Each structure stands twice: as C-alpha cells, then as structure tokens.
Amino acid sequence: MAMNTQGRPSRPVHAPDPGAYSETFSGSKGLDQAEPLIFERGDFDNCGVDLPEPKGLKTRLDGLERKSAIGLPGLSEPETMRHYVRLSRKNYAIDLGLYPLGSCTMKHNPRLNEKLARLPGLSDIHPMQPQSTVQGAFELIGELAHWLMTLTNTPCVSMSPKAGAHGELCGMMAIRAALDARGETGRRRVLVPESAHGTNPATAVQCGFVTDEIPADASGRVDMEVFKSKLGDDVAAIMLTNPNTCGLFERDIKEIADLIHEAGGYFYCDGANFNAIVGRVRPGDLGIDAMHINLHKTFSTPHGGGGPGSGPTVFSEALAPFVPVPYVIQDGETWAMVEHEQEARDLSGGEPFGRLVAFHGQMGMFTRALSYMMSHGSDGLRQVAEDAVLNANYILARLRGEMTAAFEGTCMHEALFDDTFLKDTGVSTLDFAKAMIDEGYHPMTMYFPLVVHGALLIEPTETESKAGLDRFCDTLLKLTEAARDGDTGRFLNAPVHAPAKRLDETRAARSPVLTWREDETAQAAE
Ligand SMILES: *Cc1c(COP(=O)(O)O)cnc(C)c1O
C-alpha cells in the first residue's frame, strides 16, 4: 500500500465488496442516523434542566396535586435538538427534491413569502386583539379577497375556510342554505363525476346530501349523456373538478353550468387545480356558483406536513347572501370584522348560513399568498399556469412511448398513466413507486384517480427546470426498462435505501398506533 511519510495511505485502499457491510453495528447508515421515538429514549427519571426547589412554596391545589410522575422524557437540550434534527432528515420535502404528487401541486414556496409572513406586525398578532390594533391585517385579508375575486370574476369570497375540504363544506352549506331559502328541501341529490377528489362526495354527504356518480367518457371527461339523464328536480348541485383529476380540462363546462342551472341546481366547482388555469380562465365566466381555491396549492404556501392550508371559497351572485361569518368589511378608512349573523343581516340583508370558524383567517397563509401574487403580477401568474401545463406535457411526451398514457392528446397540469406498461412484468404500480424512493424521488400519486387501472398521476408544477424534469424522466424510463427486463428484485424489495422499508400500509391506516405505551412499542415499531 502506498503511504506518505506520516504513514497515511496516499491512495484509496482496495476494499472488498461493500455489499457485505451494508448493515452497521449502530443501525445508522453514515449520515443517516438511526433514531428511536423520543419516548423510547425515555430517561423519565431525569429532568432536562436543573430547576431549583422553590422555597417556601405553599400549594393552593387543595389536595389535587399530581401523585404520579408526569412521564415526560427527560432529555437535555442537545439531546432533544438532535432527536428532532435526525427525524427531520428522514423527511422528504419540496426543498429537498422533486415532489411529483398529482392533484397536490407541491411547488416551491419562495423565501420572499416566508420573509413577509414573519413580519412581527403580521406574525405576532392575536385573534382577540382589539380590531383597531389589527387594521393592517384586515386590509391584507381584504386585498387578497379582492384579487381572488378578480382572478375568478366572482362578486364574493369567504376567506374563512382553513383548507380545500373546508372550502367545499363552506360552499355546500351555502348551497343547502340557498335551497332551504327557496323552500326546496327535497333537493338533496348531488352529482359527482367518477374522477372527483375523495373530499367531494365526503363533503356532500357531510352536508346531508346523497351522491350520484357520473362516469367518465372514453376521453376522461364527464359523460354528457349520463349527466343529462341524471338531471331532475331533486338535484341540488353538481360538484365538478376543473381541470379534473385526470389532468384534463372539462371542455363541456359551460354546457354543464347551463344545464344544471336550467334544472334548478347549483354548480360547485372544485378549484383546487386552479394552478393550471390561473390568469388564463376566470371560473366566474364559466358559470360556477361556488368554488374553493387552495391557497396552499396555487399561491405556493407550503402544505402536506409543511404548514396549515387555506381554502377561500368564491361565490356567485346567487349564493353571495348565504356567505358565512366572520368576514372583513371596509368602511371608509376603517376595516372591521363582521362576526355575528345578526350583524350581517342588519348590514347587508344577507342570510349567512352560520359561523364557519371561531377565529378568522390563516394569517400566515394569507400573507404568503398575497406576497406570491404581488411578486408575480398578472403576467407572472398567467405564466405560472402556462409553465405548469408545459412541464406536465413535457413529461407526458417523454414518457408516453414507454409508459402508457391513460388518454389521448395533451394534458393540463398533470400527466396520467395507467399500469398497462407493467403488464406481465410481475411489478405493480405500488412496487414501481417504491423503487422510485430508492432512486431519491417521492412517488407520484398512485391508484388515483379511480377512472384508470393502477393509476400513476404525475404533477411536476411550474417550478421544476427542464434539466430536473429530464433527470426524473430518465430515471422513470430506466425503471420501466428494468421492469420489462425482468429485474423484479429491484421492485419487490424496494425501498432498500429508505429509513423505513415496506410497511403494512393497510394496517397502518386502519389501526394506527397513535399513543406511545411501553408495552406497545414493539408493535408500533413493526
Ligand atoms: C387538494 C385537493 C382537495 C382538498 O384540499 P385540502 O386542502 O387537502 O383539504 C380537494 N380537491 C382537489 C381536486 C384537490 O387536489
């Protein structure tokens, strides 16, 4: 072996096959440190900090003092810090790599948003402060509301909903209130296309409606003949996603709006995919009555474990009177919050369906969304939609020769494949997705929408570069080739490089262990 004068090897030593040493004594893999649950680390008898015994303390709890130990882990500050940093390193994040989850719009959240959301005047306020001290925050909510109404061409928006599904609840409750006001309490059927997001039928049922499914036609869109045949005087509404979850624009949307209105029903549009059309299409022009917008998808605010959501819901003239409290209003130079239903009735003659939230707004989300809008401007927002669609079509074009595209033609913001290309390979959509984890990619959305078999739904968003998309496509093409060449071990064992291997996902979803108990630890760790 070549050595320098201090006896240090001056060239790499030829080592045996590293495969044999891939398991370590500690369980850690280099910089990927093994980490148990904080309760498994325990150290319950210790306290992480030294607190002096209080002198002369007289308890006023009258015998209600805690008798048993509180049972909190007693780690020191550096131990606690390391615990959470190690956990965070096991997390996949949009700041780490491409996150191609279809229907989720996982796009980069500009740091400018974060800077503004942390301004003390916006981040350090409390919902119970006197209104006179939060005028700037109200103005910000009002301005964001203005731009949401402008972008959708609608006369009214409720800023209260705290997520997309909550926005659906807001919209469907307004529809129910409007029907009740018309005395039409028998209209309780809601038409839901097969490609709908799972939250749509769930919301309809939650609001006391029954759902009636409309199948997709051969092009992946609403089957118009079936839709027409289902219209009737018990139909309350249609809940339609546009662009839909097959990544396709519903071409007949205006006709759908006209027909549902003629039949006396309302048009709920799931606008979670607004990212694909923002600046290009105003849903109000298409005849929608209510639509939620996921600020945390279209306007970049982080989500999916990264932060809370926000789902403002816009309304047509017909539903505007039923918009819930609370909301902000402007009177000259002053802003105020309308919090009580009676106040709303007195002010505008409206008939709010109730109070949707205790405290108004997701201030951080509002600030990020407005910051995103202002920094992009109207031309920039239009480009967001155009680039998102371009990127998805680039992926579709690069992969469709080897993987099977679910439908003919181009797509909107997401590209949908089915599992025909894996036929007879012994590899399923799930195995394919797990192998992607080993390649350093978060898998795409799988087995959704239900319209196609073994669905793989890829949404790259506009924030990925062409080089990044090429690396991603090259990897998927290599995996496709491996599956076809019979390299099934690569898939069936995957992921082998992830902190957690194959899990019993059904059991994890159906019987999750959410509280730590000493005797259950072994079971939870399985
Ligand atoms: C994300 C999404 C929703 C639900 O939004 P949440 O904020 O997760 O509640 C509803 N519909 C569609 C089409 C979506 O993509």
Side-chain angles (χ1 to χ4, degrees):
M1 192 191 300
M3 300 277 192
N4 69 9
T5 48
Q6 281 80 39
R8 175 183 172 136
S10 58
R11 213 170 294 138
V13 186
H14 179 71
D17 175 11
Y21 296 101
S22 61
E23 293 307 320
T24 57
F25 296 124
S26 63
S28 298
K29 302 275 163 64
L31 300 180
D32 176 14
Q33 313 253 325
E35 187 64 14
L37 300 175
I38 197 163
F39 282 94
E40 288 172 281
R41 295 203 70 125
D43 220 354
F44 298 101
D45 298 335
N46 278 331
C47 182
V49 285
D50 291 327
L51 297 173
E53 264 322 308
K55 283 197 196 93
L57 177 80
K58 275 205 198 76
T59 162
R60 285 181 289 170
L61 290 173
D62 206 14
L64 291 174
E65 298 88 355
R66 168 179 285 282
K67 302 250 166 18
S68 54
I70 194 164
L72 289 178
L75 305 184
S76 67
E77 181 173 319
E79 285 171 323
T80 309
M81 200 66 211
R82 281 182 184 161
H83 172 73
Y84 287 107
V85 171
R86 284 173 183 169
L87 288 191
S88 77
R89 292 174 61 120
K90 298 190 193 308
N91 201 10
Y92 196 89
I94 189 69
D95 288 344
L96 185 72
L98 183 92
Y99 214 133
L101 269 186
S103 202
C104 289
T105 317
M106 305 296 287
K107 67 192 201 178
H108 172 66
N109 175 54
R111 293 307 99 143
L112 178 65
N113 294 357
E114 296 307 312
K115 192 170 175 183
L116 296 187
R118 282 168 178 70
L119 290 175
L122 293 165
S123 64
D124 292 349
I125 53 179
H126 191 279
M128 291 176 104
Q129 260 174 253
Q131 298 200 6
S132 62
T133 64
V134 287
Q135 288 290 305
F138 283 176
E139 187 177 347
L140 190 149
I141 298 175
E143 180 154 357
L144 179 62
H146 164 78
W147 288 115
L148 292 175
M149 290 186 286
T150 305
L151 286 166
T152 52
N153 193 25
T154 49
C156 172
V157 61
S158 169
M159 301 296 287
S160 298
K162 310 250 183 201
H166 201 203
E168 291 174 35
L169 186 82
C170 178
M172 293 308 284
M173 286 182 83
I175 287 175
R176 200 178 147 135
L179 289 169
D180 288 355
R182 277 163 39 184
E184 297 211 61
T185 46
R187 281 189 185 267
R188 287 293 179 257
R189 193 153 55 90
V190 172
L191 306 180
V192 184
E194 199 182 358
S195 65
H197 197 266
T199 49
N200 291 187
T203 300
V205 169
Q206 185 77 27
C207 294
F209 296 108
V210 290
T211 58
D212 191 359
E213 195 170 283
I214 315 174
D217 65 12
S219 79
R221 297 174 175 86
V222 167
D223 186 320
M224 287 301 283
E225 288 319 307
V226 179
F227 165 62
K228 284 179 199 163
S229 73
K230 284 183 184 286
L231 291 168
D233 58 12
D234 64 335
V235 169
I238 182 169
M239 291 186 88
L240 181 80
T241 307
N242 197 30
N244 70 21
T245 52
C246 299
L248 302 169
F249 195 85
E250 293 284 353
R251 292 191 205 106
D252 299 315
I253 186 162
K254 284 208 71 161
E255 196 186 348
I256 292 173
D258 291 344
L259 289 171
I260 193 83
H261 288 148
E262 262 167 48
Y266 292 100
F267 183 1
Y268 188 90
C269 186
D270 180 331
N273 294 334
F274 195 45
N275 196 53
I277 57 172
V278 61
R280 294 289 310 242
V281 178
R282 299 184 306 177
D285 296 339
L286 303 175
I288 62 125
D289 289 303
M291 180 181 100
H292 73 267
I293 299 165
N294 287 38
L295 293 186
H296 50 289
K297 290 178 183 172
T298 307
F299 300 106
S300 83
T301 57
H303 66 121
S310 183
T313 303
V314 294
F315 289 104
S316 65
E317 215 61 79
L319 292 182
F322 305 97
V323 70
V325 289
Y327 51 79
V328 295
I329 51 164
Q330 189 180 17
D331 183 9
E333 290 289 289
T334 315
W335 289 84
M337 181 150 65
V338 179
E339 289 198 80
H340 303 287
E341 291 165 55
Q342 191 55 48
E343 236 180 307
R345 285 190 205 108
D346 296 344
L347 265 170
S348 62
E351 205 40 66
F353 70 69
R355 181 169 185 150
L356 193 68
V357 291
F359 294 127
H360 191 32
Q362 297 281 50
M363 212 50 225
M365 300 282 101
F366 292 162
T367 310
R368 289 178 178 91
L370 187 63
S371 151
Y372 186 76
M373 280 182 187
M374 293 292 129
S375 53
H376 277 71
S378 60
D379 55 337
L381 284 181
R382 190 175 318 121
Q383 199 184 337
V384 161
E386 289 168 355
D387 288 353
V389 172
L390 181 65
N391 275 0
N393 277 286
Y394 184 72
I395 288 186
L396 183 65
R398 275 216 58 195
L399 300 183
R400 81 180 316 157
E402 305 300 321
M403 294 167 67
T404 29
F407 298 103
E408 298 272 306
T410 55
C411 61
M412 292 293 290
H413 58 302
E414 50 196 359
L416 178 62
F417 299 88
D418 65 25
D419 62 0
T420 315
F421 74 103
L422 294 172
K423 196 164 178 284
D424 301 328
T425 59
V427 173
S428 67
T429 293
L430 181 73
D431 303 325
F432 194 86
K434 296 292 182 196
M436 285 172 68
I437 298 177
D438 279 340
E439 301 291 339
Y441 285 109
H442 192 288
M444 67 288 271
T445 294
M446 294 176 287
Y447 300 104
F448 176 83
L450 311 176
V451 186
V452 298
H453 197 267
L456 304 100
L457 183 65
I458 305 176
E459 179 176 4
T461 80
E462 71 283 2
T463 50
E464 294 302 324
S465 66
K466 179 170 176 296
L469 295 180
D470 277 329
R471 278 194 297 273
F472 176 68
C473 290
D474 290 344
T475 307
L476 293 203
L477 290 173
K478 282 263 171 6
L479 285 175
T480 305
E481 198 182 313
R484 237 179 246 142
D485 289 351
D487 187 6
T488 40
R490 178 181 296 278
F491 297 91
L492 303 186
N493 294 318
V496 296
H497 298 300
K501 309 288 182 267
R502 282 270 178 138
L503 305 173
D504 183 344
E505 293 177 15
T506 313
R507 209 177 124 219
R510 296 245 163 104
S511 27
V513 180
L514 300 177
T515 359
W516 182 84
R517 276 191 204 89
E518 204 155 9
D519 48 332
E520 279 178 15
T521 326
Q523 188 196 348
E526 258 174 35

